Amino acid sequence: MLGSFFRVAVRPMLASSLGQVRTATKKAGGSTKNGRDSIGKRLGVKKFGTAEVIVGNILIRQRGMTFRPGKNVGVGRDFTLFALADGFVHFRYNPLEKRSYVNVLPTKLLPKPKSTKEKMKRMEAVARRAAAIAQADGV
């Protein structure tokens, strides 16, 4: 009985008079201000150079006017660039303005390809036409 009295009443008085305080063996886990993230917005180029597109295809999703619309390309209210004509995508950089433009070169003049070889010829024709446009623009 004396032992329980010593444990309950006397020992805490001795510990406090000696300046010892019992502390926790684990530190308190503080709160953090991190740990949240928003989902990706899936921005960027959707159709790359020489890709064949149809009317309404989204070419680029962007915030602001990183890429400017060129021929046969429209702009949505969220700065999305989309095709206004069937054709091939063509990117052009103007070093004087330091801006990139996206064009769609129409395929009305080119027949539909029947084989891979014809498709390659068609792409070469588009590349030649893109070079001619770039040269005419003075790039």
Side-chain angles (χ1 to χ4, degrees), residues 14 19 24 34 47 52 57 68 73 75 88 134 136-137:
L14 286 173
N34 301 326
K47 299 288 184 179
E52 195 166 4
N57 274 159
R68 304 276 170 155
V73 176
V75 183
F88 287 90
D137 288 346

Side-chain angles (χ1 to χ4, degrees), residues 53-128:
V53 295
I54 59 172
V55 175
N57 274 159
I58 292 175
L59 306 176
I60 298 177
R61 284 203 175 270
Q62 59 186 352
R63 295 288 174 262
M65 277 291 193
T66 306
F67 290 90
R68 304 276 170 155
K71 294 178 176 109
N72 300 316
V73 176
V75 183
R77 65 181 188 171
D78 63 345
F79 301 104
T80 296
L81 300 182
F82 57 91
L84 294 175
D86 295 344
F88 287 90
V89 178
H90 175 249
F91 288 86
R92 182 176 62 84
Y93 179 74
N94 188 336
L96 298 175
E97 298 176 10
K98 295 184 180 175
R99 289 188 175 150
S100 296
Y101 290 90
V102 183
N103 301 304
V104 173
L105 306 175
T107 55
K108 290 179 186 174
L109 306 175
L110 300 172
K112 287 280 185 191
K114 294 181 181 129
S115 66
T116 308
K117 198 172 190 179
E118 286 183 19
K119 191 170 186 177
M120 292 302 291
K121 283 183 182 178
R122 183 178 181 174
M123 288 180 74
E124 288 171 5
V126 168
R128 282 193 302 274

Side-chain angles (χ1 to χ4, degrees), residues 6-63:
F6 183 75
R7 249 182 302 185
V8 174
V10 178
R11 186 182 262 174
M13 287 190 295
L14 286 173
S16 63
S17 66
L18 295 174
Q20 296 175 345
V21 178
R22 187 167 179 217
T23 59
T25 56
K26 287 274 189 182
K27 283 221 174 216
S31 65
T32 178
K33 294 182 181 178
N34 301 326
R36 295 173 303 283
D37 199 4
S38 60
I39 58 170
K41 301 301 176 204
R42 276 67 169 177
L43 302 176
V45 178
K46 306 301 178 190
K47 299 288 184 179
F48 292 89
T50 68
E52 195 166 4
V53 295
I54 59 172
V55 175
N57 274 159
I58 292 175
L59 306 176
I60 298 177
R61 284 203 175 270
Q62 59 186 352
R63 295 288 174 262

